Amino acid sequence: MSKRSDISEFDLINDYFAGMTSQREDVVLGIGDDAALLRVPQGMELAVSVDTLVAGVHFFPDISPSDLGHKVLAVNLSDLAAMGAEPAWATLALTLPGVDGLWISEFCRGFSELAAHYDLQLVGGDTTSGPLSITVQVQGLLPMGEGLTRSGAQVGDDIYVTGTLGDAALALVCKRDGDDRQAMPQLLGHLDRPIPRVEAGIALRGFASSAIDISDGLAADLGHILQSSGVGARVDLDRIPLSPSVTASLQESNDWSLIIAGGDDYELCFTLPPVHRDQVASISRRIGVTMTRIGVIDAQSDLRCLVPDGSIWSPECTGYEHFSRSDGDN
């Protein structure tokens, strides 16, 4: 990114960010003042989530700015999806090593295209100079008392995941190793432009007993549900939905770590009573998102991953954790 020093923060905001998203009727005052004024409709609750993405940790420095703009919003919308919330507003804090008009324009394009899909308005933020990092806070709306949480799983509930798992983790491994396999464009799409399962989360309100988005790996994130709900689980590994590329990789390595602990899937993992299986199938057809039953909640105090022969497979690492010595850069 080339550097410029002849543009003020206010010019940067006015030139690139002030009009980058559509205007919502529930925004009383947006960008341009000390704070935004937002109107929460009567009978609705506000869901709020924030994530920071840092170059070299959460994304490769050579990611296209459009893909980065998409990703920084998508990973936050994934949190709203896990709560069953409908996206409404966002704030953006952007730290840049320099001002490159083309880079910022492309970043804004990736961000605003995804925001437009969900009628989300950017209502404020901050810009500063320094190593590239982006913090996005999103706010979503949902009917009072209908939010999905991690703490409602019950013994006997089915465990489901949306989409396929392991694609982003395989893309990360291939990119690190310089493996330019034929499927890389599709794999990188999962890594750099994840699809937040907002429609699925909203549709699961009233059915799912618990939910979480899979950002740090299935084992780690399902583990959060188990801990919060005070239950255990059995997952049948051969039920986990995989793309052809991940299936081929698994056949070569016979190592489930990529799928169980790889992270960056941004799919939903959710639980619900077996009586709702028909509703899940109907929701899946209606919104065009696959929902696969992979296991069951039980009374034991741990997560057991079973291979097809019935033996238990245990990963060396359950998922990504910040500040641990095993963390890797991506």
Side-chain angles (χ1 to χ4, degrees):
M1 182 186 302
S2 61
K3 298 181 180 180
R4 284 183 54 192
S5 58
D6 60 342
I7 186 169
S8 71
E9 178 184 6
F10 301 106
D11 289 337
L12 189 62
I13 292 170
N14 289 330
D15 291 347
Y16 296 102
F17 302 113
M20 67 182 286
T21 56
S22 60
Q23 307 299 302
R24 292 173 55 100
E25 293 183 358
D26 51 18
V27 176
V28 180
L29 184 63
I31 292 175
D33 221 297
D34 290 315
L37 298 178
L38 310 172
R39 185 180 297 115
V40 179
Q42 186 174 2
M44 304 293 279
E45 292 179 333
L46 185 66
V48 181
S49 180
V50 62
D51 273 303
T52 297
L53 276 70
V54 179
V57 177
H58 302 98
F59 57 89
F60 287 103
D62 64 352
I63 187 175
S64 79
S66 177
D67 286 349
L68 182 58
H70 174 103
K71 182 168 184 173
V72 297
L73 180 56
V75 300
N76 281 271
L77 293 180
S78 185
D79 287 329
L80 292 186
M83 304 296 293
E86 181 177 350
W89 314 300
T91 57
L92 168 67
L94 186 59
T95 301
L96 296 168
V99 177
D100 180 331
L102 179 59
W103 190 97
I104 296 174
S105 294
E106 284 298 295
F107 174 89
C108 291
R109 181 172 67 86
F111 188 103
S112 61
E113 285 177 353
L114 184 60
H117 182 76
Y118 294 107
D119 189 27
L120 177 143
Q121 182 174 342
L122 183 68
V123 296
D126 189 30
T127 57
T128 189
S129 176
L132 180 60
S133 67
I134 305 106
T135 297
V136 174
Q137 184 185 70
V138 289
Q139 298 88 28
L141 301 169
L142 67 162
M144 195 80 67
E146 292 190 15
L148 306 177
T149 70
R150 303 176 180 183
S151 60
Q154 300 290 320
V155 173
D157 282 356
D158 291 329
I159 303 169
Y160 284 81
V161 295
T162 61
T164 60
L165 303 188
D167 298 275
L170 180 57
L172 177 60
V173 170
C174 291
K175 192 166 176 63
R176 282 175 170 171
D177 296 345
D179 181 355
D180 191 17
R181 63 182 65 192
Q182 186 175 0
M184 274 302 286
Q186 292 85 356
L187 294 172
L188 284 174
H190 286 273
L191 180 64
D192 293 341
R193 298 185 73 90
I195 300 174
R197 299 303 189 182
V198 173
E199 293 85 357
I202 293 172
L204 288 168
R205 292 193 310 229
F207 297 105
S209 54
S210 69
I212 193 170
D213 78 317
I214 306 172
S215 56
D216 297 326
L218 175 64
D221 292 315
L222 177 55
H224 294 319
I225 287 180
L226 304 185
Q227 183 177 18
S228 296
S229 300
V231 293
R234 186 195 77 237
V235 168
D236 298 313
L237 295 180
D238 60 344
R239 286 179 173 266
I240 295 177
L242 308 176
S243 69
S245 297
V246 175
T247 298
S249 176
L250 177 63
Q251 291 171 345
E252 292 176 6
S253 66
N254 197 33
D255 182 5
W256 287 89
S257 299
L258 195 75
I259 299 153
I260 299 300
D264 278 320
D265 291 304
Y266 297 104
E267 297 290 348
L268 296 186
C269 175
F270 61 94
T271 64
L272 77 178
V275 68
H276 292 311
R277 288 180 184 176
D278 288 344
Q279 285 92 332
V280 172
S282 177
I283 290 170
S284 176
R285 289 190 298 270
R286 175 165 57 84
I287 66 175
V289 174
T290 59
M291 297 179 172
T292 306
R293 181 164 49 94
I294 64 169
V296 64
I297 297 294
D298 61 29
Q300 297 192 38
S301 60
D302 59 359
L303 170 63
R304 298 169 314 288
C305 299
L306 274 60
V307 294
D309 66 7
S311 60
I312 295 176
W313 181 87
S314 299
E316 293 183 5
C317 174
T318 58
Y320 183 89
E321 291 186 15
H322 288 282
F323 307 115
S324 72
R325 293 186 177 182
S326 62
D327 286 354
D329 294 302
N330 68 337

